[in-house]
Amino acid sequence: MKLIFRQKIFSILDSYDVYSENGNTAFKVKGQLAVKHKLKIYDPQGNELGQVNEKMISITPTFDLYENGKKIGSIKKKLFKLIGTSYSIDSLGWTAKGNFVEWDYSIHDSNGNLVATLGKQLLNVTDTYVLDIVNPQDALHVLMFVIAIDAEKCSRNKNNG
């Protein structure tokens, strides 16, 4: 299953549309006014499916994940990595590794099986990622990961500039 994750051009708060490979809207992501990133995920009909909230205080960037209003776990950036970046998705036992420019990622389960790959498309006006998901049932959780890494990079860029 492929999804295209595209940031909206004119949006004060983080806002994204996620499309299926045939061009239909699969998810909508809307940011909330908050000190740290707080993003809600909706289906095309406007029903809330999940939420990704950046923790206020943590040693490394951490995002709490909610599905149907219940906390299901966290995504944490690993502190030390020589080349690229690495994240853990605790509740699922997933790990994600990114290349040194942090544009391409692969997510594996606890047995080393591929869950998804993500790649950033470079020739776009806004941040755009292609998500190639092995099992369509994992789409929401993979989307939560992409939202968290994009928000973490955004926070890091604000703090550095």
Side-chain angles (χ1 to χ4, degrees):
M1 163 185 215
K2 284 191 192 267
L3 295 174
I4 311 297
F5 174 86
R6 184 173 293 135
Q7 185 175 30
K8 289 187 178 180
I9 294 175
F10 300 109
S11 175
I12 295 170
L13 299 172
D14 294 328
S15 186
Y16 307 89
D17 288 327
V18 182
Y19 302 96
S20 64
E21 53 194 316
N22 62 8
N24 295 326
T25 301
F27 300 96
K28 290 185 175 282
V29 179
K30 296 180 183 174
Q32 306 287 297
L33 190 58
V35 175
K36 293 283 191 172
H37 288 95
K38 183 176 183 176
L39 299 121
K40 291 187 176 187
I41 304 165
Y42 300 91
D43 67 14
Q45 293 75 37
N47 301 306
E48 185 179 327
L49 301 174
Q51 192 168 323
V52 177
N53 296 340
E54 187 175 8
K55 279 190 144 181
M56 288 293 290
I57 299 172
S58 61
I59 294 171
T60 63
T62 302
F63 295 82
D64 289 331
L65 309 177
Y66 296 85
E67 190 172 353
N68 298 316
K70 294 181 183 177
K71 184 176 176 185
I72 61 165
S74 299
I75 295 174
K76 295 178 183 179
K77 185 174 184 180
K78 294 189 179 176
L79 193 54
F80 297 108
K81 181 120 172 60
L82 290 176
I83 298 173
T85 56
S86 185
Y87 295 83
S88 66
I89 307 168
D90 60 6
S91 58
L92 302 171
W94 292 357
T95 56
K97 294 182 179 161
N99 64 1
F100 71 99
V101 292
E102 301 180 51
W103 289 339
D104 299 311
Y105 291 85
S106 61
I107 301 173
H108 291 84
D109 66 17
S110 58
N111 295 320
N113 299 313
L114 182 67
V115 174
T117 58
L118 346 159
K120 185 172 184 177
Q121 291 184 333
L122 299 179
L123 301 175
N124 287 293
V125 176
T126 62
D127 285 346
T128 302
Y129 295 90
V130 176
L131 292 63
D132 193 356
I133 304 163
V134 174
N135 184 344
Q137 292 176 329
D138 293 329
L140 178 62
H141 298 135
V142 172
L143 179 58
M144 288 176 166
F145 169 74
V146 174
I147 291 167
I149 63 161
D150 192 68
E152 188 273 327
K153 288 197 298 190
C154 178
S155 292
R156 190 171 359 128
N157 291 339
K158 284 180 187 174
N159 293 334
N160 292 333

